Amino acid sequence: MSATATQPRSRASLSSPSLEAEVRDRYAKGAREVEPGLCCPTAQYDPRLLKLLPREIVEKDYGCGDPSGHVNEGEVVVDLGSGAGKVCYVLAQKVGPAGKVIGLDFNDAMLALARKYKDEMAARLGFANVEFRKARIQDMALDLELAEGWLRRHPITSIEQMVDFEAHCQRLRHERPLIGDESVDVIVSNCVLNLVRPEEKTQLFHEMHRALKRGGRAVISDIVCDEDPTPAILNDPALWSGCISGAFREDRFLEMFEEAGFYGIEILSRGERPWQVIDGVEFRSMTVRAFKGKEGPCLERNQAVIYRGPWKQVRDDDGHTFHRGQRMAVCDKTFRIMTDPAGPYARNIVPVPPLSDVPLDEALAFDCHGSAVRHPRQTKGMDYRQTQQAAGPACCTPESGCC
């Protein structure tokens, strides 16, 4: 984990260069020597996956959780604030040679440390599937090394040249995006989002949503607090660089995923005990998973889903209410989301597909603004009159699953 954006939440000090320098210098120091005070340590990583990593990378990892456990073979993964590269090299083993891992970081010292072992790790793994790129995580489309190359060729000495540079950066975002639209299966991060300045946090969540493929997911470990930090906390440079001052209030952390368009947002882990308590405010680690893919038209294909329980009823991120044991009418998009075995809902849902498939090109619009019970005849067909007799004693064998 490393700094990517480095200004505090307090309006009185948002432009303070001393605070920005504090974060940059502290993480550069953390790349040179171990900094125990940077974020809270975690012992959750699979030791088998750490065995191949150089000791220096493991010792200079600064995080608060383990998002790597929610990534699968063959996937394209981006690690926001990749720091020394520990998470990336763990992920490289999980995604395998068919997958790809891209670490993004803003700190040159951390990037140098991560890249130092790139060839050695490729030799140990037997394949090369990791790269480290310089970027701000709230602006993943802009390749900062390309931008810096332009600056070296065109030093800025006037406002006009600054405007030219901004125009060049915009061209890079569109013509040579570092992370393109809908190009990533999974985005992970380990205690970095809190370092992004408050006015850019909304942009950050929208950037994650932009980069993910439909059906993709973000798995984010970060520091959260139970109430808003006090002014004293917000104006302490050391607490800012130490992942305290920029911590998300835990309820607001989840809301920001929702506001960016994610669904199926859930807390995977939450520190039972606070990592630190300052001025009566508790700070602890939390890992959240959120999915992309609820955009698109709502089409009627006579599908239904049954919520298994245990709650009497639940409501999803689109406002649909599902009553326990009831056949709830859903559009094709919601049916797919609810029954996707790789998604967040399938373990609690019984799918009820139609007896006769309705082709997508013949499906009519479905009003998704309500929550209606689906009559069985809508699923089976209004003319369904089939009679089926029991097949005899064999129907109740353990193999049949009927009793």
Side-chain angles (χ1 to χ4, degrees):
M1 183 279 297
S2 176
T4 54
T6 54
Q7 296 196 20
R9 292 172 64 173
S10 170
R11 291 184 180 180
S13 54
L14 279 175
S15 300
S16 171
S18 63
L19 286 170
E20 182 170 349
E22 166 74 20
V23 177
R24 183 183 63 247
D25 294 346
R26 189 170 182 183
Y27 281 89
K29 181 181 178 183
R32 295 190 298 270
E33 57 188 71
V34 178
E35 269 268 18
L38 280 179
C39 215
C40 60
T42 177
Q44 299 173 14
Y45 288 88
D46 186 337
R48 296 171 298 180
L49 299 177
L50 296 178
K51 188 168 59 175
L52 290 179
L53 273 61
R55 183 176 178 180
E56 182 179 18
I57 286 180
V58 176
E59 289 180 342
K60 293 177 180 177
D61 172 70
Y62 308 111
C64 62
D66 177 14
S68 69
H70 305 277
V71 172
N72 303 313
E73 186 175 355
E75 292 186 314
V76 176
V77 187
V78 167
D79 179 18
L80 305 182
S82 50
K86 173 182 167 181
V87 174
C88 288
Y89 289 126
V90 167
L91 291 170
Q93 299 171 69
K94 294 184 70 72
V95 303
K100 183 178 181 180
V101 180
I102 304 169
L104 301 184
D105 208 282
F106 185 69
N107 191 293
D108 289 324
M110 282 293 185
L111 284 167
L113 174 58
R115 288 167 172 170
K116 173 182 174 182
Y117 293 100
K118 189 167 178 276
D119 292 341
E120 180 180 331
M121 284 301 303
R124 292 184 182 187
L125 294 174
F127 51 85
N129 64 351
V130 180
E131 62 181 74
F132 297 96
R133 308 297 295 272
K134 187 172 182 178
R136 301 173 76 227
I137 63 173
Q138 62 271 47
D139 189 6
M140 287 186 272
L142 180 60
D143 187 327
L144 289 181
E145 287 169 316
L146 291 180
E148 287 176 337
W150 191 92
L151 277 177
R152 286 191 292 270
R153 298 188 301 273
H154 307 87
I156 294 176
T157 59
S158 68
I159 295 297
E160 289 78 7
Q161 290 172 326
M162 183 179 297
V163 172
D164 290 342
F165 173 65
E166 291 172 349
H168 177 70
C169 289
Q170 193 65 8
R171 284 194 299 272
L172 286 176
R173 291 185 184 98
H174 290 286
E175 297 173 9
R176 301 182 64 180
L178 181 58
I179 305 296
D181 295 354
E182 299 187 343
S183 62
V184 177
D185 295 301
V186 192
I187 290 175
V188 304
S189 183
N190 194 359
C191 204
V192 175
L193 272 60
N194 68 82
L195 294 172
V196 173
R197 64 174 96 181
E199 66 269 29
E200 293 182 327
K201 279 189 165 74
T202 296
Q203 176 186 340
L204 165 62
F205 281 82
H206 282 282
E207 268 291 270
M208 289 193 287
H209 192 271
R210 174 193 68 79
L212 282 168
K213 299 175 184 177
R214 186 178 188 87
R217 60 204 180 277
V219 185
I220 307 297
S221 298
D222 222 296
I223 295 296
V224 297
C225 48
D226 61 341
E227 55 181 303
D228 291 327
T230 64
I233 294 172
L234 292 173
N235 287 284
D236 188 322
L239 293 180
W240 181 261
S241 63
C243 301
I244 290 292
S245 300
F248 295 87
R249 200 180 68 207
E250 52 189 312
D251 59 329
R252 183 65 186 140
F253 189 35
L254 300 178
E255 287 173 355
M256 294 193 76
F257 285 99
E258 182 179 354
E259 290 169 3
F262 288 93
Y263 75 88
I265 305 152
E266 62 180 318
I267 299 171
L268 297 176
S269 66
R270 179 182 180 274
E272 182 179 348
R273 295 181 179 179
W275 167 49
Q276 293 191 48
V277 181
I278 303 174
D279 288 349
V281 182
E282 294 183 354
F283 296 86
R284 55 172 40 85
S285 66
M286 179 183 284
T287 300
V288 171
R289 180 173 61 185
F291 290 79
K292 174 182 174 176
K294 67 188 186 73
E295 301 76 24
C298 298
L299 300 175
E300 172 64 279
R301 301 185 73 194
N302 298 332
Q303 298 143 311
V305 295
I306 300 173
Y307 169 54
R308 296 177 183 271
W311 307 108
K312 184 176 179 63
Q313 64 182 36
V314 293
R315 192 175 71 164
D316 71 2
D317 289 287
D318 273 339
H320 305 120
T321 300
F322 301 92
H323 302 276
R324 182 178 56 207
Q326 294 278 5
R327 295 172 177 241
M328 304 305 299
V330 292
C331 71
D332 180 66
K333 178 185 66 177
T334 301
F335 182 82
R336 292 175 183 273
I337 287 174
M338 288 288 164
T339 60
D340 180 359
Y345 303 121
R347 64 185 181 272
N348 295 316
I349 293 293
V350 177
V352 185
L355 186 65
S356 298
D357 184 62
V358 178
L360 273 173
D361 58 358
E362 297 178 14
L364 302 177
F366 180 93
D367 184 1
C368 248
H369 294 96
S371 299
V373 174
R374 174 84 74 187
H375 193 283
R377 287 285 173 182
Q378 287 181 280
T379 300
K380 295 185 296 185
M382 299 307 292
D383 297 327
Y384 183 79
R385 292 291 185 271
Q386 182 175 341
T387 300
Q388 180 176 324
Q389 300 293 332
C395 80
C396 284
T397 62
E399 292 79 12
S400 71
C402 72
C403 55

